Amino acid sequence: MPIATTNPATGQVLKSYDPMSEEQVDAAIERADLAYRQLRDTTVAQRGRWLTAAADLLEADRDETARLMTTEMGKTYAAAKAEVTKCAAACRFYAAKAAEFLADEPADAGAVSATRAFVRYQPIGPVLAVMPWNFPLWQVMRFAAPALMAGNTGLLKHASNVPQTALLLEDLFRRAGFPEGAFTTLLVGSAEVDRVLSDPRVRAATLTGSEGAGRSIAQIAGRELKKTVLELGGSDPFVVMPSADLDRAAEVATTARCQNNGQSCIAAKRFIVHADVFDAFAERFAANMSALRVGDPMDPDTDVGPLASEGGRDEIHAQVRDAVDKGATVLCGGEPPAGPGWFYPPTVVTDLRPEMRMWSEEVFGPVAGLYRVSSYDEAVEVANGTSFGLGSNAWTRDPDEQERFAADLDAGNVFVNGMTTSYPELPFGGVKNSGYGRELSALGMREFCNTKTVWVGEGAATAGAGAHAE
Ligand code: NAP
């Protein structure tokens, strides 16, 4: 895949880059390793000042950064601005909370025959981050902010279609004051990942991307005995039960499917509706989807911009065609418009069956699959009947059903009467083929820490844990 910015709204290649040479990559790893030795000896307070400066810079440059993201991958300008703002908030969150998340945790010394015992969280070194294009700033930031605060350094291999956003991120952390090498962008293709992750100086990897990329990185990491966090695909269920507020559910369903032009791992993709309200929901949902305006992502009136690549657009159209050829019904959309750019209309497909690709595959664009079920148990069976387990949504005003969905949906999160989203305050990640490990919250920060047990016998200097992270 060429490393280049191609505007998905026009198909024009705007800027291309030569991949870095082996020597350049090696030098970058060396700088990351040196920077790690420097960073781990700085205080959390100092790192917090740098991360706060990064938040200030993000906010100051918001519009320009958003324009760049829209140009590189086609999200609407409004969504891109919101993404920058969210990244700044995440920086401020980790700058404020790191001391608490990294503080020594006292243990019961008496129970382990110690004078003093505690758990300490320490950085592990350079971490490789392989990232996707769909939230080109946020996906990186939700790794980078906690990792840098913990004292690790980052090596970013970003998706090949967002090189300018990748370089902007390196520049951001440098301008914010982090030491040279603390965060470096490697302009390389995915074939280089093996060599980088095999380097003994690189201690771990995080990947957000497809199942295939996850398997590949997990194999390398397994061979090299390195820790990984994998945030992979999803085919999130959105269950609507008879007691749901149908207007609200249909409104949120539309956003949940089409935000980011339908290219979100946690987009609701399968809409599983109880037969008692199926027709009423389907009518509202299809009407809302049809009403969305598709077009120039820089236009403030646009709801849905182009897909990020021609291949991505062709893939979802092939999935829709496959379903239609095997007997599915299209309630709206289903045909890409003529003309330049990789646009696809919001589409609702129903009468789906297990032999259709849409039944089991992730659909990464504004295409919703609509399923009719006749009971709570059948709703859960269809919802869990996927190899993925990232997010899930349940719409019901019945308190008993709310509790049961929270327990029964097999996913990394359950959002009841709301849309799955990510918050710095809450852990984020999946089960099954959606990956493992968690990002965000204290858990995300500790994924790339050495959770060190400290046991002190006779002659302890003080009682209780030290204030290491303060
Ligand atoms: P992708 O093809 O897997 O690309 C993601 C990143 O992995 C890119 O940097 C890509 O580099 C690299 N890559 C691809 N194949 C690789 C391999 N075999 N070895 C090492 N690196 C490899 O994913 P995508 O299609 O661009 O992104 C969409 C997918 O990401 C969807 O499945 C979506 O659900 C998932 N996603 C998951 C989350 C989550 O939090 N769970 C969030 C967002 C997206 P190149 O660009 O150079 O190929």
Side-chain angles (χ1 to χ4, degrees):
M1 205 170 164
I3 301 175
T5 298
T6 305
N7 186 344
T10 62
Q12 270 187 309
V13 179
L14 301 177
K15 203 162 181 176
S16 300
Y17 294 82
D18 290 329
M20 287 166 75
S21 66
E22 277 188 23
E23 293 70 32
Q24 286 171 312
V25 171
D26 192 63
I29 297 174
E30 183 61 18
R31 281 197 302 277
D33 193 37
L34 290 172
Y36 160 61
R37 286 158 208 286
Q38 206 180 330
L39 204 57
R40 70 181 175 188
D41 289 336
T42 56
T43 61
V44 171
Q46 174 59 71
R47 302 199 287 267
R49 283 192 288 277
W50 289 329
L51 201 61
T52 303
D56 293 342
L57 289 169
L58 280 167
E59 280 163 356
D61 299 345
R62 184 195 66 166
D63 293 359
E64 200 184 324
T65 304
R67 198 170 294 113
L68 175 60
M69 285 197 281
T70 298
T71 306
E72 289 207 297
M73 51 66 64
K75 68 173 63 215
T76 63
Y77 184 47
K81 284 190 281 191
E83 185 171 335
V84 180
T85 301
K86 183 171 180 174
C87 287
C91 288
R92 294 194 196 288
F93 173 80
Y94 277 107
K97 299 292 274 189
E100 177 189 329
F101 293 164
L102 296 171
D104 290 346
E105 280 177 11
D108 181 352
V112 295
S113 310
T115 314
R116 191 156 84 90
F118 58 93
V119 174
R120 175 162 290 178
Y121 296 100
Q122 289 186 308
I124 55 172
V127 180
L128 171 65
V130 182
M131 290 288 157
W133 43 263
N134 63 339
F135 293 90
L137 207 67
W138 169 247
Q139 304 289 8
V140 178
M141 194 56 76
R142 74 183 185 180
F143 152 72
L148 289 167
M149 281 308 299
N152 294 306
T153 56
L155 288 161
L156 171 65
K157 182 265 173 278
H158 216 327
S160 294
N161 58 334
V162 290
Q164 295 191 64
T165 308
L167 291 168
L168 179 148
L169 278 153
E170 176 182 298
D171 193 48
L172 171 76
F173 291 116
R174 185 186 298 117
R175 285 197 294 150
F178 282 97
E180 185 68 26
F183 190 89
T184 305
T185 288
L186 304 175
L187 286 181
V188 293
S190 58
E192 276 303 292
V193 165
D194 193 334
R195 218 172 56 77
V196 176
L197 187 49
S198 305
D199 190 296
R201 292 166 294 189
V202 177
R203 297 309 314 145
T206 182
L207 163 86
T208 300
S210 60
E211 214 180 317
R215 288 183 197 282
S216 167
I217 284 182
Q219 276 177 6
I220 301 163
R223 191 188 70 211
E224 301 295 327
L225 286 179
K226 289 181 183 173
K227 166 100 184 251
T228 48
V229 168
L230 300 181
E231 296 284 359
L232 309 178
S235 190
D236 290 6
F238 188 106
V239 182
V240 183
M241 295 301 282
S243 67
D245 176 340
L246 284 194
D247 285 331
R248 180 86 188 119
E251 186 188 317
V252 174
T254 308
T255 307
R257 178 57 284 204
C258 291
Q259 64 150 347
N260 212 40
N261 310 341
Q263 303 160 120
S264 168
C265 53
I266 45 166
K269 291 169 187 146
R270 297 175 302 129
F271 297 81
I272 299 160
V273 185
H274 194 283
D276 290 357
V277 289
F278 183 90
D279 291 340
F281 177 83
E283 190 187 328
R284 287 167 171 82
F285 185 36
N288 291 348
M289 292 282 278
S290 304
L292 294 176
R293 286 164 302 232
V294 179
D296 176 5
M298 288 303 295
D299 183 337
D301 290 332
T302 293
D303 300 305
V304 180
L307 297 190
S309 69
E310 188 169 23
R313 199 258 304 258
D314 292 350
E315 178 70 1
I316 63 162
H317 191 49
Q319 289 169 311
V320 171
R321 290 309 317 162
D322 167 79
V324 171
D325 291 347
K326 292 173 182 162
T329 307
V330 174
L331 298 185
C332 65
E335 278 303 328
W342 303 315
F343 296 94
Y344 202 82
T347 297
V348 180
V349 183
T350 191
D351 298 326
L352 292 162
R353 297 160 55 82
E355 63 270 23
M356 298 170 183
R357 291 180 58 192
M358 276 186 70
W359 185 280
S360 52
E361 294 178 7
E362 179 180 31
V363 182
F364 216 56
V367 176
L370 194 54
Y371 301 74
R372 184 194 300 260
V373 292
S374 53
S375 65
Y376 173 88
D377 288 342
E378 195 190 350
V380 171
E381 190 185 323
V382 174
N384 289 343
T386 165
S387 61
F388 296 109
L390 193 54
S392 62
N393 307 260
W395 286 75
T396 171
R397 285 187 279 205
D398 176 337
D400 181 49
E401 276 182 359
Q402 293 178 357
E403 285 302 315
R404 291 177 71 197
F405 278 120
D408 293 342
L409 290 175
D410 197 8
N413 67 64
V414 179
F415 279 65
V416 179
N417 297 336
M419 186 179 103
T420 297
T421 185
S422 57
Y423 297 96
E425 295 83 357
L426 292 175
F428 184 95
V431 294
K432 303 199 286 187
N433 291 2
S434 292
Y436 49 75
R438 290 293 177 265
E439 292 195 289
L440 300 174
S441 77
L443 296 183
M445 175 171 262
R446 292 173 187 159
E447 286 282 8
F448 296 115
C449 285
N450 172 10
T451 303
K452 185 185 273 182
T453 293
V454 181
W455 184 101
V456 184
E458 292 292 312
T462 55
H468 165 72
E470 304 300 322

